[in-house]
Amino acid sequence: SGKCSPSSGQSLEPLLKTLKDLTGPDTCVLCCYEQRTMGNNPEIERRYFELLQVDFELEKIPLDKHDEEFRSADIHILNIHRKPTVGWF
């Protein structure tokens, strides 16, 4: 089928291309996600972060910095920045 969904992993490349197209040297992306452990989700998550780190630097926000009311061990927040490239001033 032509289905494109996060659970199939087919949406990873378009998502990464969009992030790359919309970010510059001074852009900060905050990424918040709930870690999923069922089905093929762990493999898709691993692949996403592997591909993301080609062009981006990731900084995990420690759990003690999350909002007290909403923090949970399976909720992750990342600060994402583009890696410097030649030609950016």
Side-chain angles (χ1 to χ4, degrees), residues 1-79:
S1 81
K3 185 176 177 182
C4 180
S5 70
S7 63
S8 70
Q10 294 176 3
S11 59
L12 293 181
E13 283 78 9
L15 174 60
L16 292 163
K17 182 184 182 319
T18 300
L19 282 171
K20 193 171 177 183
D21 289 349
L22 294 176
T23 57
D26 298 321
T27 306
C28 170
V29 177
L30 290 176
C31 172
C32 179
Y33 71 98
E34 181 178 2
Q35 189 169 20
R36 312 269 184 187
T37 58
M38 302 299 291
N40 62 350
N41 290 317
E43 175 59 25
I44 293 169
E45 180 182 317
R46 184 200 61 76
R47 180 75 178 134
Y48 171 71
F49 287 112
E50 179 181 281
L51 293 170
L52 187 67
Q53 290 179 72
V54 170
D55 296 302
F56 294 89
E57 295 173 350
L58 313 178
E59 174 193 359
K60 187 169 183 174
I61 307 299
L63 190 60
D64 66 347
K65 300 286 187 191
H66 296 201
D67 184 280
E68 288 182 22
E69 184 177 348
F70 299 105
R71 77 173 58 150
S72 174
D74 63 343
I75 302 291
H76 304 280
I77 303 174
L78 300 171
N79 189 348

